[in-house]
Amino acid sequence: MPQQLSLYNTLTRTKEVFVPIDPNNVRMYVCGPTVYDYAHIGNARPVIVFDVLFRLLRHVYGERHVTYVRNITDVDDKINARAARDFPALPLNEAIRKVTETTNRQFQADVAALGNLQPTAQPRATEYIAEMVAMIDRLVERGIAYVADGHVLFSPAAMNAARGPRYGMLARRSADDMLAGARVDVASYKRDEMDFVLWKPSRKGEPGWASPAGIEGLGRPGWHIECSAMSMAKLLEPFGGGLQCDDPQKNIFDIHAGGIDLVFPHHENEIAQSCCALGIDRMVNVWMHNGFLQVEGQKMAKSLGNFVTINELLATETFGGRKWPGDVLRLAMLMTNYREPIDFSISRLEEAENILAKAREYVGNAEPGAIPDEVIALLADDLATPSVINWLSSARRSRAVEPGDYRAAFALLGFDLQAETVSSELADEIEAKIADRLALLAAKSFAEADRIRAELLDQGIQLKDGKDPETGERVTTWEVRR
């Protein structure tokens, strides 16, 4: 009997026992990046959080029985603007390819450095235009969407007039609040202010595809329709669902997740499109959302000078005057409940680094053992990662868990605690530099001593100064820092 999971469902605002539609085919979709620039640290939070969920689902149901899809948006006005800015001498479509390929490559490298598994699939929006067109055609046929001035627009009013789910079921906002939150474009061709774009015409030189609904000329999809079409293609059609299926049970998948900022309008619009096109009452059974991220107690914004990317944290000394290992960034994220706002701070990173150092010291070279039942039970309670981390720290202090089991528990969270080793030649070189540094400190040549410390740190060697408890003399130890 699989471990029973309880997950907080944004749709019902309650924590519910998770019952997969098919335990042999558990399916999850997470909204991915729009690849026009480096991903900021806030973008890393859903990637890390729902990677832990992916790992837990695989542990409970088996690796072969879980499908995790995270999309890549590679057609967007922001991409077009960045391409025109960065490569003005190139034709726009060629410039767009350069931007999206470079940015996606960097994103994949950054999130891998944070210890995340590859999703089962990462569909790109431009590869699923046909599915978007087919879904839009269906919505027009059913009178839920309409053509106006070369655009196709979805009508929430038409959705609400039909039998079935009503627009706003996820956000639970008043019409006025939704209108304000949508930041709608004022356009004379709209029948109603709340109507949103499914398809729009492409200007000369912009990416374009044959348009739906009999519209002449090339166009491109709106943002919201992308995820409806890609989740259908990857999580419904391979399991017998899709536009040609009349069985509503085959047109629903298990979990859809993302940041809390996506609840409205993006996820609300996904529900509207998918439900109306597929004739279903709900798109998925469980909606999950992670909380906002702020930096040192303030909302992250370029205007405040606290906007920081994953890559900057990993590769530069922008934040706190040093580089931060990916596993430290990951643990700092997991030390706060995923649904709560998180304050991303230097002190939190230092705390995470200290926890990992102690964990590695405890594990040593032990081979992975069995994950403690207590860890599974805590994670199964709506991904209670802070409770897991606290429990593990307590178990280490009391030595209540074998080192191998301790390592296995951290592995489930996405960490490898295997102690790093170096060659004997490099170890001798490090010891020699430490001796030189101690001599410089004794001679009060502090700048030169700091230079040696910094040089070793650049090589991934962390020095720790202390005193011999018997002699009181200064001693320095070292460890390989990830």
Side-chain angles (χ1 to χ4, degrees):
M1 183 74 177
Q3 169 75 43
Q4 180 173 286
L5 308 184
S6 294
L7 302 173
Y8 184 85
N9 190 348
T10 309
L11 185 65
T12 61
R13 305 299 197 268
T14 59
K15 192 160 60 175
E16 304 170 353
V17 174
F18 175 64
V19 181
I21 297 165
D22 176 1
N24 290 317
N25 295 295
V26 182
R27 290 162 284 167
M28 175 173 73
Y29 187 95
V30 177
C31 286
T34 300
V35 285
Y36 71 97
D37 203 352
Y38 285 103
H40 59 69
I41 191 58
N43 300 139
R45 194 176 191 195
V47 176
I48 292 170
V49 164
F50 299 116
D51 176 74
V52 173
L53 178 58
F54 182 38
R55 291 170 184 271
L56 179 61
L57 292 171
R58 281 162 42 118
H59 176 80
V60 172
Y61 296 100
E63 292 184 11
R64 293 183 303 160
H65 302 299
V66 181
T67 302
Y68 168 26
V69 176
R70 186 180 68 216
N71 73 292
I72 298 166
T73 295
D74 59 350
V75 53
D76 187 88
D77 289 340
K78 293 177 182 177
I79 295 173
N80 297 350
R82 179 57 55 91
R85 187 199 75 179
D86 291 354
F87 303 102
L90 292 178
L92 182 59
N93 284 340
E94 187 176 338
I96 286 169
R97 280 195 298 275
K98 289 180 74 71
V99 168
T100 57
E101 290 299 327
T102 300
T103 306
N104 181 51
R105 209 162 37 241
Q106 187 63 61
F107 174 79
Q108 301 299 335
D110 286 346
V111 297
L114 298 177
N116 297 296
L117 297 173
Q118 282 275 346
T120 312
Q122 294 191 76
R124 299 173 68 113
T126 52
E127 297 170 352
Y128 291 86
I129 301 295
E131 287 80 359
M132 297 177 208
V133 168
M135 187 170 274
I136 293 170
D137 279 334
R138 172 69 65 83
L139 291 167
V140 173
E141 290 168 8
R142 293 187 168 179
I144 306 298
Y146 61 94
V147 177
D149 198 20
H151 294 70
V152 182
L153 295 113
F154 184 97
S155 170
M159 174 185 178
N160 289 341
R163 292 181 61 185
R166 296 184 64 80
Y167 188 78
M169 66 170 74
L170 183 66
R172 296 193 183 183
R173 299 183 184 185
S174 68
D176 288 343
D177 285 345
M178 286 192 290
L179 189 61
R183 299 188 297 276
V184 296
D185 295 326
V186 177
S188 60
Y189 50 79
K190 284 187 175 185
R191 296 176 182 172
D192 187 272
E193 286 182 290
M194 281 298 297
D195 297 350
F196 60 88
V197 172
L198 300 174
W199 190 266
K200 54 188 171 183
S202 295
R203 293 187 288 267
K204 185 177 180 180
E206 289 181 334
W209 293 266
S211 297
I215 298 172
E216 294 185 5
L218 302 181
R220 51 203 170 102
W223 175 35
H224 312 300
I225 195 67
E226 295 177 11
C227 288
S228 284
M230 284 187 281
S231 63
M232 178 183 72
K234 289 297 185 181
L235 297 177
L236 299 182
E237 290 177 349
F239 304 95
L243 291 174
Q244 307 309 314
C245 173
D246 294 327
D247 182 353
Q249 290 305 310
K250 291 186 177 180
N251 279 329
I252 303 168
F253 58 95
D254 294 296
I255 299 170
H256 195 317
I260 192 69
D261 57 308
L262 298 180
V263 169
F264 188 85
H266 184 53
H267 287 166
E268 191 70 62
N269 290 352
E270 277 191 66
I271 291 173
Q273 296 159 166
S274 294
C275 286
C276 291
L278 296 168
I280 50 180
D281 291 330
R282 63 189 186 280
M283 180 184 180
V284 300
N285 282 337
V286 181
W287 285 90
M288 298 181 69
H289 295 90
N290 62 272
F292 288 113
L293 177 143
Q294 57 184 17
V295 176
E296 297 288 359
Q298 291 184 301
K299 181 179 178 180
M300 185 169 60
K302 290 181 179 179
S303 61
L304 296 175
N306 65 352
F307 186 92
V308 60
T309 68
I310 303 170
N311 189 256
E312 285 174 326
L313 289 163
L314 292 168
T316 76
E317 298 179 355
T318 302
F319 195 70
R322 54 164 289 191
K323 301 174 185 177
W324 297 97
D327 56 2
V328 171
L329 300 175
R330 182 183 184 89
L331 188 64
M333 286 285 187
L334 297 179
M335 289 162 63
T336 298
N337 182 279
Y338 80 92
R339 290 194 288 117
E340 299 298 324
I342 186 172
D343 186 17
F344 200 76
S345 64
I346 294 168
S347 62
R348 176 54 62 95
L349 291 174
E350 291 172 341
E351 183 182 356
E353 189 168 48
N354 185 50
I355 290 171
L356 286 171
K358 290 178 178 177
R360 286 203 170 90
E361 183 180 358
Y362 182 65
V363 167
N365 291 314
E367 292 298 316
I371 302 168
D373 291 341
E374 292 87 348
V375 169
I376 301 298
L378 288 169
L379 274 185
D381 185 12
D382 197 33
L383 300 183
T385 55
S387 298
V388 173
I389 294 164
N390 291 336
W391 186 89
L392 286 169
S393 294
S394 176
R396 173 186 53 77
R397 288 190 296 268
S398 63
R399 297 189 172 272
V401 176
E402 292 295 322
D405 297 350
Y406 199 79
R407 182 181 174 188
F410 266 92
L412 183 60
L413 295 176
F415 300 92
D416 183 3
L417 295 185
Q418 179 65 49
E420 293 270 9
T421 59
V422 299
S423 66
S424 58
E425 293 82 2
L426 179 56
D428 290 343
E429 181 182 333
I430 294 168
E431 293 293 349
K433 287 185 177 181
I434 288 174
D436 290 343
R437 177 175 173 273
L438 289 173
L440 289 166
L441 288 172
K444 300 189 183 304
S445 298
F446 300 117
E448 281 298 300
D450 288 344
R451 181 188 61 77
I452 291 176
R453 173 188 279 276
E455 181 182 304
L456 288 170
L457 194 57
D458 284 342
Q459 297 175 28
I461 306 301
Q462 175 79 57
L463 300 186
K464 293 186 175 182
D465 291 323
K467 289 186 177 182
D468 186 306
E470 296 183 0
T471 66
E473 294 180 356
R474 181 193 295 269
V475 293
T476 299
T477 58
W478 58 274
E479 66 181 16
V480 179
R481 198 187 76 186
R482 289 173 178 258

